[in-house]
Amino acid sequence: MAADWSPEEVAATVADYFAMLSHELRGEAYNKREHNRQLQSLLSGRSAGAIEFKHANISAILLELGFPYIDGYKPRANYQERLKEEVAARLDQDAQLEYAAAAFVEAPLEDMPELRSLADIFVPIPVRDRTRTFERRA
């Protein structure tokens, strides 16, 4: 069984997540795998999977706090209280991230089709083709 994450490991992981989230909120490209590799070199023996799981925990915390999260890290609960405290503290200190999140959330939707009436969104009911016949197996 792996040891609990140290305060330093938690801080480094949250900082890495927030760096990626900043890119995502601004629509900038970034490489999750490269972030993971760099983070592995900073942490003492944490695997790529362990880091991804921790990133998913951060997503769960952000969701609970009403904050957007990285799409590729679906929220997973059961996180350390230390992790939640670190995320909350970073959010309080990072005005740029908060500004980027607000701009992201308030941005108008792109590629939204123009709807003139409800008929524009309805599709016909599927009709089953009853002309096919099936042979029974013996």
Side-chain angles (χ1 to χ4, degrees):
M1 185 170 151
D4 285 345
W5 288 57
S6 71
E8 295 78 21
E9 289 177 311
V10 168
T13 305
V14 172
D16 179 65
Y17 185 102
F18 277 27
M20 291 187 291
L21 181 58
S22 291
H23 288 299
E24 188 158 308
L25 292 173
R26 291 191 305 266
E28 300 169 355
Y30 65 97
N31 186 318
K32 289 180 194 165
R33 193 168 295 205
E34 185 57 33
H35 272 264
N36 192 306
R37 277 190 214 107
Q38 289 179 10
L39 194 53
Q40 282 180 64
S41 70
L42 296 174
L43 305 179
S44 55
R46 299 295 178 185
S47 68
I51 291 169
E52 286 189 10
F53 197 90
K54 193 63 72 174
H55 282 152
N57 289 150
I58 294 168
S59 291
I61 294 166
L62 289 173
L63 182 62
E64 284 180 15
L65 296 174
F67 208 83
Y69 60 88
I70 295 174
D71 188 41
Y73 294 118
K74 299 298 180 207
R76 297 187 72 142
N78 198 25
Y79 48 78
Q80 291 174 285
E81 187 62 29
R82 176 183 297 145
L83 183 63
K84 186 173 185 176
E85 291 166 2
E86 182 69 25
V87 168
R90 293 249 179 189
L91 284 176
D92 287 344
Q93 298 167 1
D94 197 336
Q96 286 185 335
L97 182 65
E98 190 162 338
Y99 175 77
F104 177 79
V105 170
E106 294 169 3
L109 292 177
E110 295 179 15
D111 300 328
M112 184 69 164
E114 182 179 332
L115 299 176
R116 292 171 297 237
S117 73
L118 276 177
D120 290 344
I121 61 172
F122 290 128
V123 295
I125 297 172
V127 177
R128 185 173 183 179
D129 181 6
R130 299 210 179 253
T131 60
R132 291 179 56 185
T133 58
F134 296 96
E135 293 181 26
R136 293 189 99 179
R137 292 186 178 173

mmCIF file with all atom_site columns, all heavy atoms in Angstrom, residues 115-135:
data_model
loop_
_atom_site.group_PDB
_atom_site.id
_atom_site.type_symbol
_atom_site.label_atom_id
_atom_site.label_alt_id
_atom_site.label_comp_id
_atom_site.label_asym_id
_atom_site.label_entity_id
_atom_site.label_seq_id
_atom_site.pdbx_PDB_ins_code
_atom_site.Cartn_x
_atom_site.Cartn_y
_atom_site.Cartn_z
_atom_site.occupancy
_atom_site.B_iso_or_equiv
_atom_site.pdbx_formal_charge
_atom_site.auth_seq_id
_atom_site.auth_comp_id
_atom_site.auth_asym_id
_atom_site.auth_atom_id
_atom_site.pdbx_PDB_model_num
ATOM 1   N N   . LEU A 1 115 ? -32.987 28.189  -33.634 1.00 0.00 ? 115 LEU A N   1
ATOM 2   C CA  . LEU A 1 115 ? -34.254 27.467  -33.531 1.00 0.00 ? 115 LEU A CA  1
ATOM 3   C C   . LEU A 1 115 ? -35.393 28.460  -33.713 1.00 0.00 ? 115 LEU A C   1
ATOM 4   O O   . LEU A 1 115 ? -35.502 29.428  -32.969 1.00 0.00 ? 115 LEU A O   1
ATOM 5   C CB  . LEU A 1 115 ? -34.375 26.776  -32.174 1.00 0.00 ? 115 LEU A CB  1
ATOM 6   C CG  . LEU A 1 115 ? -33.312 25.734  -31.852 1.00 0.00 ? 115 LEU A CG  1
ATOM 7   C CD1 . LEU A 1 115 ? -33.503 25.204  -30.435 1.00 0.00 ? 115 LEU A CD1 1
ATOM 8   C CD2 . LEU A 1 115 ? -33.336 24.608  -32.845 1.00 0.00 ? 115 LEU A CD2 1
ATOM 9   N N   . ARG A 1 116 ? -36.202 28.222  -34.714 1.00 0.00 ? 116 ARG A N   1
ATOM 10  C CA  . ARG A 1 116 ? -37.342 29.101  -34.965 1.00 0.00 ? 116 ARG A CA  1
ATOM 11  C C   . ARG A 1 116 ? -38.592 28.593  -34.259 1.00 0.00 ? 116 ARG A C   1
ATOM 12  O O   . ARG A 1 116 ? -39.460 29.366  -33.901 1.00 0.00 ? 116 ARG A O   1
ATOM 13  C CB  . ARG A 1 116 ? -37.577 29.221  -36.461 1.00 0.00 ? 116 ARG A CB  1
ATOM 14  C CG  . ARG A 1 116 ? -36.446 29.974  -37.172 1.00 0.00 ? 116 ARG A CG  1
ATOM 15  C CD  . ARG A 1 116 ? -36.642 29.860  -38.648 1.00 0.00 ? 116 ARG A CD  1
ATOM 16  N NE  . ARG A 1 116 ? -36.537 28.435  -38.975 1.00 0.00 ? 116 ARG A NE  1
ATOM 17  C CZ  . ARG A 1 116 ? -35.692 27.918  -39.836 1.00 0.00 ? 116 ARG A CZ  1
ATOM 18  N NH1 . ARG A 1 116 ? -34.902 28.675  -40.505 1.00 0.00 ? 116 ARG A NH1 1
ATOM 19  N NH2 . ARG A 1 116 ? -35.636 26.625  -40.056 1.00 0.00 ? 116 ARG A NH2 1
ATOM 20  N N   . SER A 1 117 ? -38.665 27.258  -34.087 1.00 0.00 ? 117 SER A N   1
ATOM 21  C CA  . SER A 1 117 ? -39.814 26.674  -33.404 1.00 0.00 ? 117 SER A CA  1
ATOM 22  C C   . SER A 1 117 ? -39.409 25.319  -32.831 1.00 0.00 ? 117 SER A C   1
ATOM 23  O O   . SER A 1 117 ? -38.340 24.794  -33.152 1.00 0.00 ? 117 SER A O   1
ATOM 24  C CB  . SER A 1 117 ? -40.984 26.498  -34.378 1.00 0.00 ? 117 SER A CB  1
ATOM 25  O OG  . SER A 1 117 ? -40.725 25.418  -35.259 1.00 0.00 ? 117 SER A OG  1
ATOM 26  N N   . LEU A 1 118 ? -40.273 24.760  -32.011 1.00 0.00 ? 118 LEU A N   1
ATOM 27  C CA  . LEU A 1 118 ? -39.998 23.445  -31.444 1.00 0.00 ? 118 LEU A CA  1
ATOM 28  C C   . LEU A 1 118 ? -39.886 22.377  -32.514 1.00 0.00 ? 118 LEU A C   1
ATOM 29  O O   . LEU A 1 118 ? -39.164 21.398  -32.361 1.00 0.00 ? 118 LEU A O   1
ATOM 30  C CB  . LEU A 1 118 ? -41.099 23.045  -30.460 1.00 0.00 ? 118 LEU A CB  1
ATOM 31  C CG  . LEU A 1 118 ? -40.953 23.584  -29.047 1.00 0.00 ? 118 LEU A CG  1
ATOM 32  C CD1 . LEU A 1 118 ? -42.155 23.170  -28.195 1.00 0.00 ? 118 LEU A CD1 1
ATOM 33  C CD2 . LEU A 1 118 ? -39.680 23.099  -28.411 1.00 0.00 ? 118 LEU A CD2 1
ATOM 34  N N   . ALA A 1 119 ? -40.555 22.562  -33.618 1.00 0.00 ? 119 ALA A N   1
ATOM 35  C CA  . ALA A 1 119 ? -40.498 21.583  -34.710 1.00 0.00 ? 119 ALA A CA  1
ATOM 36  C C   . ALA A 1 119 ? -39.072 21.422  -35.234 1.00 0.00 ? 119 ALA A C   1
ATOM 37  O O   . ALA A 1 119 ? -38.727 20.384  -35.793 1.00 0.00 ? 119 ALA A O   1
ATOM 38  C CB  . ALA A 1 119 ? -41.437 21.993  -35.840 1.00 0.00 ? 119 ALA A CB  1
ATOM 39  N N   . ASP A 1 120 ? -38.227 22.442  -35.039 1.00 0.00 ? 120 ASP A N   1
ATOM 40  C CA  . ASP A 1 120 ? -36.837 22.362  -35.504 1.00 0.00 ? 120 ASP A CA  1
ATOM 41  C C   . ASP A 1 120 ? -36.014 21.339  -34.727 1.00 0.00 ? 120 ASP A C   1
ATOM 42  O O   . ASP A 1 120 ? -34.975 20.898  -35.205 1.00 0.00 ? 120 ASP A O   1
ATOM 43  C CB  . ASP A 1 120 ? -36.156 23.733  -35.393 1.00 0.00 ? 120 ASP A CB  1
ATOM 44  C CG  . ASP A 1 120 ? -36.685 24.735  -36.396 1.00 0.00 ? 120 ASP A CG  1
ATOM 45  O OD1 . ASP A 1 120 ? -37.354 24.323  -37.364 1.00 0.00 ? 120 ASP A OD1 1
ATOM 46  O OD2 . ASP A 1 120 ? -36.422 25.935  -36.201 1.00 0.00 ? 120 ASP A OD2 1
ATOM 47  N N   . ILE A 1 121 ? -36.468 20.970  -33.534 1.00 0.00 ? 121 ILE A N   1
ATOM 48  C CA  . ILE A 1 121 ? -35.678 20.019  -32.746 1.00 0.00 ? 121 ILE A CA  1
ATOM 49  C C   . ILE A 1 121 ? -36.291 18.624  -32.701 1.00 0.00 ? 121 ILE A C   1
ATOM 50  O O   . ILE A 1 121 ? -35.648 17.692  -32.262 1.00 0.00 ? 121 ILE A O   1
ATOM 51  C CB  . ILE A 1 121 ? -35.423 20.532  -31.308 1.00 0.00 ? 121 ILE A CB  1
ATOM 52  C CG1 . ILE A 1 121 ? -36.732 20.730  -30.543 1.00 0.00 ? 121 ILE A CG1 1
ATOM 53  C CG2 . ILE A 1 121 ? -34.588 21.778  -31.324 1.00 0.00 ? 121 ILE A CG2 1
ATOM 54  C CD1 . ILE A 1 121 ? -36.537 21.057  -29.084 1.00 0.00 ? 121 ILE A CD1 1
ATOM 55  N N   . PHE A 1 122 ? -37.527 18.486  -33.148 1.00 0.00 ? 122 PHE A N   1
ATOM 56  C CA  . PHE A 1 122 ? -38.163 17.171  -33.149 1.00 0.00 ? 122 PHE A CA  1
ATOM 57  C C   . PHE A 1 122 ? -37.719 16.363  -34.361 1.00 0.00 ? 122 PHE A C   1
ATOM 58  O O   . PHE A 1 122 ? -37.506 16.907  -35.432 1.00 0.00 ? 122 PHE A O   1
ATOM 59  C CB  . PHE A 1 122 ? -39.685 17.288  -33.151 1.00 0.00 ? 122 PHE A CB  1
ATOM 60  C CG  . PHE A 1 122 ? -40.248 17.806  -31.855 1.00 0.00 ? 122 PHE A CG  1
ATOM 61  C CD1 . PHE A 1 122 ? -41.112 18.881  -31.844 1.00 0.00 ? 122 PHE A CD1 1
ATOM 62  C CD2 . PHE A 1 122 ? -39.904 17.226  -30.646 1.00 0.00 ? 122 PHE A CD2 1
ATOM 63  C CE1 . PHE A 1 122 ? -41.628 19.362  -30.647 1.00 0.00 ? 122 PHE A CE1 1
ATOM 64  C CE2 . PHE A 1 122 ? -40.405 17.694  -29.453 1.00 0.00 ? 122 PHE A CE2 1
ATOM 65  C CZ  . PHE A 1 122 ? -41.268 18.769  -29.453 1.00 0.00 ? 122 PHE A CZ  1
ATOM 66  N N   . VAL A 1 123 ? -37.606 15.077  -34.169 1.00 0.00 ? 123 VAL A N   1
ATOM 67  C CA  . VAL A 1 123 ? -37.283 14.168  -35.270 1.00 0.00 ? 123 VAL A CA  1
ATOM 68  C C   . VAL A 1 123 ? -38.429 13.158  -35.375 1.00 0.00 ? 123 VAL A C   1
ATOM 69  O O   . VAL A 1 123 ? -39.115 12.881  -34.395 1.00 0.00 ? 123 VAL A O   1
ATOM 70  C CB  . VAL A 1 123 ? -35.938 13.436  -35.048 1.00 0.00 ? 123 VAL A CB  1
ATOM 71  C CG1 . VAL A 1 123 ? -34.786 14.424  -35.050 1.00 0.00 ? 123 VAL A CG1 1
ATOM 72  C CG2 . VAL A 1 123 ? -35.950 12.631  -33.780 1.00 0.00 ? 123 VAL A CG2 1
ATOM 73  N N   . PRO A 1 124 ? -38.619 12.597  -36.557 1.00 0.00 ? 124 PRO A N   1
ATOM 74  C CA  . PRO A 1 124 ? -39.707 11.618  -36.704 1.00 0.00 ? 124 PRO A CA  1
ATOM 75  C C   . PRO A 1 124 ? -39.465 10.375  -35.842 1.00 0.00 ? 124 PRO A C   1
ATOM 76  O O   . PRO A 1 124 ? -38.322 9.996   -35.575 1.00 0.00 ? 124 PRO A O   1
ATOM 77  C CB  . PRO A 1 124 ? -39.671 11.241  -38.186 1.00 0.00 ? 124 PRO A CB  1
ATOM 78  C CG  . PRO A 1 124 ? -38.791 12.232  -38.847 1.00 0.00 ? 124 PRO A CG  1
ATOM 79  C CD  . PRO A 1 124 ? -37.927 12.846  -37.798 1.00 0.00 ? 124 PRO A CD  1
ATOM 80  N N   . ILE A 1 125 ? -40.528 9.766   -35.427 1.00 0.00 ? 125 ILE A N   1
ATOM 81  C CA  . ILE A 1 125 ? -40.447 8.530   -34.644 1.00 0.00 ? 125 ILE A CA  1
ATOM 82  C C   . ILE A 1 125 ? -39.889 7.438   -35.547 1.00 0.00 ? 125 ILE A C   1
ATOM 83  O O   . ILE A 1 125 ? -40.336 7.285   -36.684 1.00 0.00 ? 125 ILE A O   1
ATOM 84  C CB  . ILE A 1 125 ? -41.832 8.129   -34.114 1.00 0.00 ? 125 ILE A CB  1
ATOM 85  C CG1 . ILE A 1 125 ? -42.359 9.205   -33.167 1.00 0.00 ? 125 ILE A CG1 1
ATOM 86  C CG2 . ILE A 1 125 ? -41.788 6.764   -33.434 1.00 0.00 ? 125 ILE A CG2 1
ATOM 87  C CD1 . ILE A 1 125 ? -43.797 8.994   -32.751 1.00 0.00 ? 125 ILE A CD1 1
ATOM 88  N N   . PRO A 1 126 ? -38.930 6.670   -35.070 1.00 0.00 ? 126 PRO A N   1
ATOM 89  C CA  . PRO A 1 126 ? -38.394 5.590   -35.909 1.00 0.00 ? 126 PRO A CA  1
ATOM 90  C C   . PRO A 1 126 ? -39.475 4.556   -36.204 1.00 0.00 ? 126 PRO A C   1
ATOM 91  O O   . PRO A 1 126 ? -40.313 4.245   -35.361 1.00 0.00 ? 126 PRO A O   1
ATOM 92  C CB  . PRO A 1 126 ? -37.293 4.967   -35.054 1.00 0.00 ? 126 PRO A CB  1
ATOM 93  C CG  . PRO A 1 126 ? -37.084 5.885   -33.917 1.00 0.00 ? 126 PRO A CG  1
ATOM 94  C CD  . PRO A 1 126 ? -38.266 6.768   -33.792 1.00 0.00 ? 126 PRO A CD  1
ATOM 95  N N   . VAL A 1 127 ? -39.444 4.027   -37.401 1.00 0.00 ? 127 VAL A N   1
ATOM 96  C CA  . VAL A 1 127 ? -40.397 3.004   -37.814 1.00 0.00 ? 127 VAL A CA  1
ATOM 97  C C   . VAL A 1 127 ? -39.611 1.721   -38.023 1.00 0.00 ? 127 VAL A C   1
ATOM 98  O O   . VAL A 1 127 ? -38.610 1.702   -38.735 1.00 0.00 ? 127 VAL A O   1
ATOM 99  C CB  . VAL A 1 127 ? -41.124 3.408   -39.116 1.00 0.00 ? 127 VAL A CB  1
ATOM 100 C CG1 . VAL A 1 127 ? -42.063 2.316   -39.574 1.00 0.00 ? 127 VAL A CG1 1
ATOM 101 C CG2 . VAL A 1 127 ? -41.848 4.726   -38.921 1.00 0.00 ? 127 VAL A CG2 1
ATOM 102 N N   . ARG A 1 128 ? -40.085 0.674   -37.404 1.00 0.00 ? 128 ARG A N   1
ATOM 103 C CA  . ARG A 1 128 ? -39.398 -0.613  -37.503 1.00 0.00 ? 128 ARG A CA  1
ATOM 104 C C   . ARG A 1 128 ? -39.674 -1.237  -38.855 1.00 0.00 ? 128 ARG A C   1
ATOM 105 O O   . ARG A 1 128 ? -40.821 -1.302  -39.307 1.00 0.00 ? 128 ARG A O   1
ATOM 106 C CB  . ARG A 1 128 ? -39.859 -1.528  -36.386 1.00 0.00 ? 128 ARG A CB  1
ATOM 107 C CG  . ARG A 1 128 ? -39.120 -2.806  -36.338 1.00 0.00 ? 128 ARG A CG  1
ATOM 108 C CD  . ARG A 1 128 ? -39.493 -3.572  -35.125 1.00 0.00 ? 128 ARG A CD  1
ATOM 109 N NE  . ARG A 1 128 ? -38.695 -4.783  -35.091 1.00 0.00 ? 128 ARG A NE  1
ATOM 110 C CZ  . ARG A 1 128 ? -38.770 -5.661  -34.141 1.00 0.00 ? 128 ARG A CZ  1
ATOM 111 N NH1 . ARG A 1 128 ? -39.591 -5.468  -33.131 1.00 0.00 ? 128 ARG A NH1 1
ATOM 112 N NH2 . ARG A 1 128 ? -38.023 -6.729  -34.171 1.00 0.00 ? 128 ARG A NH2 1
ATOM 113 N N   . ASP A 1 129 ? -38.628 -1.712  -39.482 1.00 0.00 ? 129 ASP A N   1
ATOM 114 C CA  . ASP A 1 129 ? -38.764 -2.381  -40.772 1.00 0.00 ? 129 ASP A CA  1
ATOM 115 C C   . ASP A 1 129 ? -39.192 -3.819  -40.504 1.00 0.00 ? 129 ASP A C   1
ATOM 116 O O   . ASP A 1 129 ? -38.427 -4.628  -40.014 1.00 0.00 ? 129 ASP A O   1
ATOM 117 C CB  . ASP A 1 129 ? -37.426 -2.332  -41.514 1.00 0.00 ? 129 ASP A CB  1
ATOM 118 C CG  . ASP A 1 129 ? -37.500 -2.995  -42.878 1.00 0.00 ? 129 ASP A CG  1
ATOM 119 O OD1 . ASP A 1 129 ? -38.609 -3.389  -43.296 1.00 0.00 ? 129 ASP A OD1 1
ATOM 120 O OD2 . ASP A 1 129 ? -36.441 -3.107  -43.516 1.00 0.00 ? 129 ASP A OD2 1
ATOM 121 N N   . ARG A 1 130 ? -40.419 -4.150  -40.832 1.00 0.00 ? 130 ARG A N   1
ATOM 122 C CA  . ARG A 1 130 ? -40.956 -5.484  -40.551 1.00 0.00 ? 130 ARG A CA  1
ATOM 123 C C   . ARG A 1 130 ? -40.827 -6.422  -41.749 1.00 0.00 ? 130 ARG A C   1
ATOM 124 O O   . ARG A 1 130 ? -41.372 -7.502  -41.746 1.00 0.00 ? 130 ARG A O   1
ATOM 125 C CB  . ARG A 1 130 ? -42.393 -5.381  -40.107 1.00 0.00 ? 130 ARG A CB  1
ATOM 126 C CG  . ARG A 1 130 ? -42.551 -4.563  -38.846 1.00 0.00 ? 130 ARG A CG  1
ATOM 127 C CD  . ARG A 1 130 ? -43.723 -5.051  -38.060 1.00 0.00 ? 130 ARG A CD  1
ATOM 128 N NE  . ARG A 1 130 ? -43.857 -4.271  -36.844 1.00 0.00 ? 130 ARG A NE  1
ATOM 129 C CZ  . ARG A 1 130 ? -43.557 -4.756  -35.655 1.00 0.00 ? 130 ARG A CZ  1
ATOM 130 N NH1 . ARG A 1 130 ? -43.134 -5.976  -35.523 1.00 0.00 ? 130 ARG A NH1 1
ATOM 131 N NH2 . ARG A 1 130 ? -43.708 -4.011  -34.582 1.00 0.00 ? 130 ARG A NH2 1
ATOM 132 N N   . THR A 1 131 ? -40.126 -5.996  -42.772 1.00 0.00 ? 131 THR A N   1
ATOM 133 C CA  . THR A 1 131 ? -39.991 -6.840  -43.958 1.00 0.00 ? 131 THR A CA  1
ATOM 134 C C   . THR A 1 131 ? -38.895 -7.875  -43.796 1.00 0.00 ? 131 THR A C   1
ATOM 135 O O   . THR A 1 131 ? -38.852 -8.843  -44.553 1.00 0.00 ? 131 THR A O   1
ATOM 136 C CB  . THR A 1 131 ? -39.684 -5.986  -45.205 1.00 0.00 ? 131 THR A CB  1
ATOM 137 O OG1 . THR A 1 131 ? -38.464 -5.282  -44.992 1.00 0.00 ? 131 THR A OG1 1
ATOM 138 C CG2 . THR A 1 131 ? -40.824 -5.012  -45.484 1.00 0.00 ? 131 THR A CG2 1
ATOM 139 N N   . ARG A 1 132 ? -38.031 -7.717  -42.848 1.00 0.00 ? 132 ARG A N   1
ATOM 140 C CA  . ARG A 1 132 ? -36.957 -8.687  -42.640 1.00 0.00 ? 132 ARG A CA  1
ATOM 141 C C   . ARG A 1 132 ? -37.492 -9.942  -41.973 1.00 0.00 ? 132 ARG A C   1
ATOM 142 O O   . ARG A 1 132 ? -38.328 -9.883  -41.082 1.00 0.00 ? 132 ARG A O   1
ATOM 143 C CB  . ARG A 1 132 ? -35.862 -8.095  -41.758 1.00 0.00 ? 132 ARG A CB  1
ATOM 144 C CG  . ARG A 1 132 ? -35.100 -7.002  -42.460 1.00 0.00 ? 132 ARG A CG  1
ATOM 145 C CD  . ARG A 1 132 ? -34.038 -6.405  -41.599 1.00 0.00 ? 132 ARG A CD  1
ATOM 146 N NE  . ARG A 1 132 ? -33.114 -7.425  -41.112 1.00 0.00 ? 132 ARG A NE  1
ATOM 147 C CZ  . ARG A 1 132 ? -32.139 -7.184  -40.251 1.00 0.00 ? 132 ARG A CZ  1
ATOM 148 N NH1 . ARG A 1 132 ? -31.956 -5.984  -39.784 1.00 0.00 ? 132 ARG A NH1 1
ATOM 149 N NH2 . ARG A 1 132 ? -31.342 -8.146  -39.845 1.00 0.00 ? 132 ARG A NH2 1
ATOM 150 N N   . THR A 1 133 ? -37.005 -11.044 -42.383 1.00 0.00 ? 133 THR A N   1
ATOM 151 C CA  . THR A 1 133 ? -37.384 -12.298 -41.735 1.00 0.00 ? 133 THR A CA  1
ATOM 152 C C   . THR A 1 133 ? -36.121 -12.966 -41.224 1.00 0.00 ? 133 THR A C   1
ATOM 153 O O   . THR A 1 133 ? -35.042 -12.806 -41.792 1.00 0.00 ? 133 THR A O   1
ATOM 154 C CB  . THR A 1 133 ? -38.104 -13.252 -42.713 1.00 0.00 ? 133 THR A CB  1
ATOM 155 O OG1 . THR A 1 133 ? -37.239 -13.507 -43.804 1.00 0.00 ? 133 THR A OG1 1
ATOM 156 C CG2 . THR A 1 133 ? -39.418 -12.649 -43.197 1.00 0.00 ? 133 THR A CG2 1
ATOM 157 N N   . PHE A 1 134 ? -36.263 -13.684 -40.170 1.00 0.00 ? 134 PHE A N   1
ATOM 158 C CA  . PHE A 1 134 ? -35.134 -14.369 -39.578 1.00 0.00 ? 134 PHE A CA  1
ATOM 159 C C   . PHE A 1 134 ? -35.398 -15.868 -39.596 1.00 0.00 ? 134 PHE A C   1
ATOM 160 O O   . PHE A 1 134 ? -36.515 -16.320 -39.354 1.00 0.00 ? 134 PHE A O   1
ATOM 161 C CB  . PHE A 1 134 ? -34.922 -13.908 -38.132 1.00 0.00 ? 134 PHE A CB  1
ATOM 162 C CG  . PHE A 1 134 ? -34.553 -12.467 -38.022 1.00 0.00 ? 134 PHE A CG  1
ATOM 163 C CD1 . PHE A 1 134 ? -35.507 -11.493 -37.772 1.00 0.00 ? 134 PHE A CD1 1
ATOM 164 C CD2 . PHE A 1 134 ? -33.232 -12.075 -38.181 1.00 0.00 ? 134 PHE A CD2 1
ATOM 165 C CE1 . PHE A 1 134 ? -35.173 -10.164 -37.677 1.00 0.00 ? 134 PHE A CE1 1
ATOM 166 C CE2 . PHE A 1 134 ? -32.880 -10.746 -38.078 1.00 0.00 ? 134 PHE A CE2 1
ATOM 167 C CZ  . PHE A 1 134 ? -33.852 -9.791  -37.832 1.00 0.00 ? 134 PHE A CZ  1
ATOM 168 N N   . GLU A 1 135 ? -34.362 -16.594 -39.880 1.00 0.00 ? 135 GLU A N   1
ATOM 169 C CA  . GLU A 1 135 ? -34.480 -18.040 -39.844 1.00 0.00 ? 135 GLU A CA  1
ATOM 170 C C   . GLU A 1 135 ? -34.234 -18.513 -38.422 1.00 0.00 ? 135 GLU A C   1
ATOM 171 O O   . GLU A 1 135 ? -33.331 -18.027 -37.748 1.00 0.00 ? 135 GLU A O   1
ATOM 172 C CB  . GLU A 1 135 ? -33.455 -18.683 -40.792 1.00 0.00 ? 135 GLU A CB  1
ATOM 173 C CG  . GLU A 1 135 ? -33.726 -18.400 -42.241 1.00 0.00 ? 135 GLU A CG  1
ATOM 174 C CD  . GLU A 1 135 ? -32.686 -19.082 -43.132 1.00 0.00 ? 135 GLU A CD  1
ATOM 175 O OE1 . GLU A 1 135 ? -32.122 -20.100 -42.692 1.00 0.00 ? 135 GLU A OE1 1
ATOM 176 O OE2 . GLU A 1 135 ? -32.450 -18.572 -44.222 1.00 0.00 ? 135 GLU A OE2 1
#
